[in-house]
Amino acid sequence: MINTYLKYLLHEKKYSEHTILSYKNDLLQAETFVTRIDPNLEMCDLNHKILRSWIVSLIEDKINPRSVNRKIATLRSFYKFLHSREIINDNPATKLKPLKTDKPLPEFVQKKEMDTLLDKVDFVKDFFGLRDKLILELFYGTGIRLSELINISDRSISLYDSTVKVLGKRNKERVIPLTKEIVNIINIYIAKRNELFGESRDDVLLLTDAGKKCYPMMVYRTVKKYLEHITKSSKKSPHVLRHTFATHLLDKGADLNAVKDLLGHSSLAATQVYTHNSLEKLKSVFDQAHPKA
């Protein structure tokens, strides 16, 4: 049943491989727990009591509440699928309640720190330096996800319109404007790239040092290396630059719906988390400047 469900997520729901792997790991963990209780039990035979006992065991093992909530969401989705396919008569996961968790604000890099990184750091003008600079500029200038960045092709970029087309979650396309600085870097970078590796690269924009398509860990290491020089933030990842993009836009008065569309969020609720950072900044200014504060 688990494999059938995972195929459903891949082919019908169009979930990413990373997301499907998370669902798979959660369900296999649940299956392992159930097997210890009774080797003859199947996942489709479980009731609410058994599912709840697994969740309780996770809490007792001090698993992070957010991780527990993800596993609860996995169970609810899995049994909803089984119920919709009439494989089970009753959904045993409907009564599972998520744990209460604090909602931390997204970490982001300060404006002056980003200015230092992009305007004052001396990137070497060869392929390697230009590629690293382009990776940072694209993350901060467009707010795209890591998976979206590594799949950018030459054809997805319109230098004439100064836009890039990316394929987001659930295969949803969106078009994002590019700054003049990014367009300029792309032009120079492509010339250097073609000079070094030739023009036959399966239409992939960003390449590794060996001329292959970039992979997530390589991009993550690149971002972390440069952020370590300019910020003391505990998180130094591509997603931090996505948070930084959204926060800085809202700080400058950008429309929330516009930021939602740029980020590729399916709902406004996912974007509203960035308004908290802007509100904290406003409160700080108020406390410092208002005579009655």
Side-chain angles (χ1 to χ4, degrees), residues 63-181:
I63 302 299
N64 184 288
R66 293 183 181 279
S67 296
V68 175
N69 284 346
R70 191 197 70 208
K71 296 177 192 301
I72 290 173
T74 297
L75 290 176
R76 295 181 72 169
S77 176
F78 175 65
Y79 284 104
K80 181 180 178 181
F81 165 78
L82 296 184
H83 188 253
S84 68
R85 294 295 195 275
E86 298 183 350
I87 298 170
I88 58 176
N89 295 323
D90 298 303
N91 185 340
T94 52
K95 294 181 181 179
L96 293 177
K97 299 292 177 69
L99 308 182
K100 290 184 178 180
T101 59
D102 294 329
K103 291 186 178 180
L105 298 179
E107 290 195 37
F108 65 97
V109 182
Q110 297 293 333
K111 178 70 166 60
K112 62 181 180 180
E113 293 171 339
M114 287 306 303
D115 289 342
T116 297
L117 174 59
L118 298 177
D119 298 336
K120 297 182 180 180
V121 171
D122 187 20
F123 291 87
V124 181
K125 302 300 181 183
D126 59 9
F127 162 79
F128 309 101
L130 285 166
R131 179 203 57 208
D132 291 357
K133 177 76 180 298
L134 181 55
I135 287 172
L136 296 168
E137 290 275 7
L138 282 169
F139 276 132
Y140 179 55
T142 66
I144 57 178
R145 302 176 179 92
L146 172 57
S147 60
E148 294 168 347
L149 177 117
I150 62 178
N151 287 311
I152 291 177
S153 66
D154 287 8
R155 287 178 295 177
S156 65
I157 296 170
S158 172
L159 296 177
Y160 178 78
D161 293 327
S162 296
T163 60
V164 59
K165 182 185 293 183
V166 298
L167 190 64
K169 290 185 175 180
R170 303 186 186 182
N171 289 330
K172 290 184 178 179
E173 282 188 346
R174 68 185 189 280
V175 177
I176 307 172
L178 299 173
T179 65
K180 291 181 180 179
E181 174 68 14

Side-chain angles (χ1 to χ4, degrees), residues 229-242:
H229 295 304
I230 55 99
T231 181
K232 294 181 180 179
S233 173
S234 61
K235 293 184 179 180
K236 302 176 181 68
S237 66
H239 219 67
V240 167
L241 292 181
R242 178 171 161 86

Side-chain angles (χ1 to χ4, degrees), residues 15-27:
Y15 283 2
S16 70
E17 291 183 7
H18 176 76
T19 300
I20 293 172
L21 181 60
S22 295
Y23 276 73
K24 179 180 179 180
N25 290 337
D26 290 342
L27 291 171

